[in-house]
Amino acid sequence: MKIKEIISVLEEMAPLAYAEDFDNVGLLVGDQETEATGVLVCHDALENIIEEAISKKCNLVVCFHPILFSGLKKITGKNYVERAVIKAIKNDIAIYAVHTALDNHQEGVNKIFCDALGLINTKVLIPKQHFIRKLVTYTIPENAEEVRNALFDAGAGMIGNYENCSFNSKGIGTYMGNEHSNPQVGERFEFVQGDEIKIEVTFEKHLENKILKALFKSHAYEEIAYEIYDLQNKHQNIGLGMIGELKNPMKEKEFLLFAKEKMQADGIRHSNFIGKEVKKIAVLGGAGSFAIKNAIQAGADVFLTADLKYHQFYEAENQLLLADIGHFESERYTKNYIVEYLRKKILNFAVILSEENSNPVKYL
């Protein structure tokens, strides 16, 4: 099995198109054509992780955080990033990062966070915008079902919890072919007027090439008329953060102690207690201060995230309880999820969970 085949599985789990624009995801180091010897899954691809991969005969390291986030002008080994990259290159070890591609997935980081807390009725906190497009095309009635099914098979027509969604309307189409044409209906230089079906379907923007390939393959016409539009609709199943509910309400302090235990945190920094029972919980793995207003607008009683600064705790405004559980802690089970996913998809192949704890934050 080549590394690129494992990458295909990883991109089924966390499509790179889901990642934020600022992020650096995908294959960061290595050659995808190399035969894979084993996969080591970790949180951060540090130098000691590369050493672990060497000792366990794994030539692909799948990490959550990208070790290469911004550009390197020199690779001299003067810092932890450069040392990890040098060691990986010297030992022919590839590094692949998922980061916000998995953050934004409905079964990704924040769903894992919610599941660890036992939250129910979960939904995305900040649905992704500018991600949905619409295809409009026209064909003869006899060809409409074939075109629709081909588009559905390519991934079009997904709306929330529904699939195979389309809108179809009848109309009259006209055309006249020139001397180079080969019309499906009518003859060259003949003005043709006939029944047509207008088909409209939505799709996620990263599927556009696949959608168009299916359209061209299934369509009866020699020249295919189609239009593609960007939609303003938010994608309710893709986005950052998540909000859900506790099965049973808890007192604020009780909940924080519960979260501390479930996420194996050594401490939680929090804003003032409001003095009410909490039930609706918003979470965002990693640095989530930008989503405080979203959590308030969603009616959360608690917003559990990481990397909050001093003045940001004031933004709770006595409307909810803000709690900083720690960056690593909020994402701690992500690597376990990746391992379980790969083991289900790739049988009889070594997929190993790293034994190294890469959390750089320590507590007394």
Coordinates of all heavy atoms in Angstrom, one line a residue, residues 39-44 48-49 52-53 55-56 328 335-336 339 343 352-359:
V39 N 1.7 3.3 10.1 CA 1.2 4.7 10.4 C 1.3 4.9 11.9 O 0.8 4.1 12.7 CB -0.2 4.9 9.9 CG1 -0.7 6.3 10.2 CG2 -0.4 4.6 8.4
L40 N 1.9 6.0 12.3 CA 1.9 6.4 13.7 C 1.0 7.7 13.8 O 1.3 8.7 13.1 CB 3.3 6.7 14.2 CG 3.5 7.2 15.6 CD1 3.2 6.0 16.6 CD2 4.9 7.7 15.9
V41 N 0.0 7.6 14.7 CA -0.9 8.7 14.8 C -0.6 9.5 16.1 O -0.5 8.8 17.2 CB -2.4 8.2 14.8 CG1 -3.3 9.4 15.0 CG2 -2.7 7.5 13.6
C42 N -0.5 10.8 16.0 CA -0.1 11.6 17.2 C -0.8 12.9 17.2 O -1.6 13.2 16.3 CB 1.4 11.8 17.2 SG 1.9 12.9 15.8
H43 N -0.6 13.7 18.2 CA -1.2 15.0 18.3 C -0.3 16.1 17.7 O -0.7 16.9 16.9 CB -1.4 15.4 19.8 CG -2.5 16.5 20.0 ND1 -3.8 16.2 19.9 CD2 -2.3 17.8 20.3 CE1 -4.5 17.3 20.1 NE2 -3.6 18.3 20.3
D44 N 1.0 16.0 18.0 CA 2.0 17.0 17.4 C 3.2 16.2 16.9 O 3.8 15.4 17.7 CB 2.5 17.9 18.5 CG 1.3 18.8 19.1 OD1 0.9 19.8 18.4 OD2 0.8 18.4 20.2
N48 N 10.6 13.9 19.0 CA 10.5 12.6 19.7 C 9.5 11.7 19.1 O 9.6 10.4 19.2 CB 10.2 12.8 21.2 CG 8.9 13.5 21.5 OD1 8.4 14.3 20.6 ND2 8.2 13.2 22.6
I49 N 8.5 12.3 18.4 CA 7.5 11.5 17.7 C 8.1 10.8 16.5 O 7.8 9.6 16.2 CB 6.2 12.3 17.3 CG1 5.6 12.9 18.5 CG2 5.3 11.5 16.4 CD1 4.8 11.9 19.4
E52 N 10.0 7.9 17.6 CA 9.0 6.8 17.9 C 8.6 6.1 16.6 O 8.6 4.9 16.6 CB 7.8 7.4 18.7 CG 6.8 6.3 19.1 CD 5.6 6.8 19.7 OE1 5.3 8.1 19.7 OE2 4.8 6.0 20.3
A53 N 8.4 6.9 15.6 CA 8.0 6.3 14.3 C 9.1 5.5 13.7 O 8.9 4.4 13.2 CB 7.7 7.4 13.3
S55 N 11.5 3.9 15.5 CA 11.6 2.7 16.3 C 10.5 1.7 16.1 O 10.6 0.5 16.2 CB 11.6 3.1 17.8 OG 10.3 3.6 18.2
K56 N 9.3 2.2 15.6 CA 8.2 1.3 15.4 C 8.0 1.0 13.9 O 6.9 0.5 13.5 CB 6.9 1.9 16.0 CG 7.0 2.0 17.5 CD 5.8 2.7 18.1 CE 5.9 2.6 19.7 NZ 4.8 3.3 20.3
F328 N -4.6 21.2 24.7 CA -4.4 19.8 24.5 C -5.5 19.0 25.0 O -6.0 18.1 24.3 CB -3.1 19.3 25.1 CG -2.8 17.9 25.0 CD1 -2.2 17.3 23.9 CD2 -3.2 17.0 26.1 CE1 -2.0 15.9 23.9 CE2 -3.0 15.6 26.0 CZ -2.4 15.1 24.9
K335 N -6.7 12.0 18.4 CA -5.8 11.0 17.8 C -6.4 9.6 18.0 O -6.2 8.7 17.1 CB -4.4 11.1 18.4 CG -4.3 10.8 19.9 CD -2.8 11.0 20.4 CE -2.7 10.6 21.9 NZ -1.3 10.8 22.3
N336 N -7.1 9.3 19.1 CA -7.7 8.0 19.3 C -8.8 7.8 18.2 O -8.9 6.7 17.6 CB -8.4 7.9 20.6 CG -7.5 8.2 21.8 OD1 -7.0 9.3 22.0 ND2 -7.1 7.2 22.6
V339 N -7.1 6.9 14.8 CA -6.6 5.5 14.9 C -7.7 4.6 14.6 O -7.6 3.6 13.8 CB -5.9 5.2 16.2 CG1 -5.7 3.7 16.4 CG2 -4.5 5.9 16.3
R343 N -8.1 2.1 11.4 CA -8.1 0.6 11.6 C -9.3 0.0 11.0 O -9.3 -1.2 10.5 CB -8.0 0.3 13.1 CG -6.6 0.5 13.6 CD -6.5 0.3 15.1 NE -5.2 0.4 15.6 CZ -4.9 0.5 16.9 NH1 -5.8 0.4 17.9 NH2 -3.6 0.6 17.3
I352 N -0.7 2.7 14.5 CA -0.3 2.7 15.9 C -0.6 4.1 16.5 O -0.3 5.1 15.9 CB 1.2 2.4 16.0 CG1 1.5 1.0 15.4 CG2 1.7 2.5 17.4 CD1 3.0 0.7 15.2
L353 N -1.1 4.0 17.7 CA -1.4 5.2 18.5 C -0.1 5.6 19.3 O 0.5 4.8 20.0 CB -2.5 5.0 19.5 CG -2.9 6.2 20.5 CD1 -3.4 7.3 19.7 CD2 -3.9 5.7 21.5
S354 N 0.4 6.8 19.1 CA 1.6 7.3 19.7 C 1.5 7.2 21.3 O 0.4 7.5 21.8 CB 1.9 8.7 19.3 OG 3.0 9.2 20.1
E355 N 2.5 6.8 21.9 CA 2.6 6.7 23.4 C 3.1 8.0 24.0 O 3.1 8.1 25.2 CB 3.4 5.5 23.8 CG 2.9 4.2 23.3 CD 3.9 3.0 23.7 OE1 4.9 3.3 24.4 OE2 3.6 1.9 23.3
E356 N 3.5 8.9 23.2 CA 4.1 10.2 23.6 C 3.0 11.2 24.0 O 2.1 11.3 23.3 CB 5.1 10.8 22.6 CG 6.3 9.9 22.3 CD 7.3 9.8 23.4 OE1 7.4 10.8 24.2 OE2 8.0 8.8 23.5
N357 N 3.2 11.9 25.1 CA 2.3 13.0 25.5 C 3.0 14.3 25.0 O 4.0 14.7 25.6 CB 2.1 13.0 27.0 CG 1.2 14.1 27.4 OD1 0.8 15.0 26.7 ND2 0.8 14.1 28.7
S358 N 2.4 14.9 24.0 CA 3.1 16.1 23.5 C 2.5 17.4 24.0 O 2.8 18.5 23.5 CB 2.9 16.1 21.9 OG 1.5 16.1 21.6
N359 N 1.8 17.4 25.1 CA 1.2 18.6 25.7 C 2.4 19.4 26.3 O 3.0 18.9 27.3 CB 0.2 18.2 26.8 CG -0.5 19.4 27.4 OD1 -0.3 20.5 27.0 ND2 -1.4 19.2 28.4

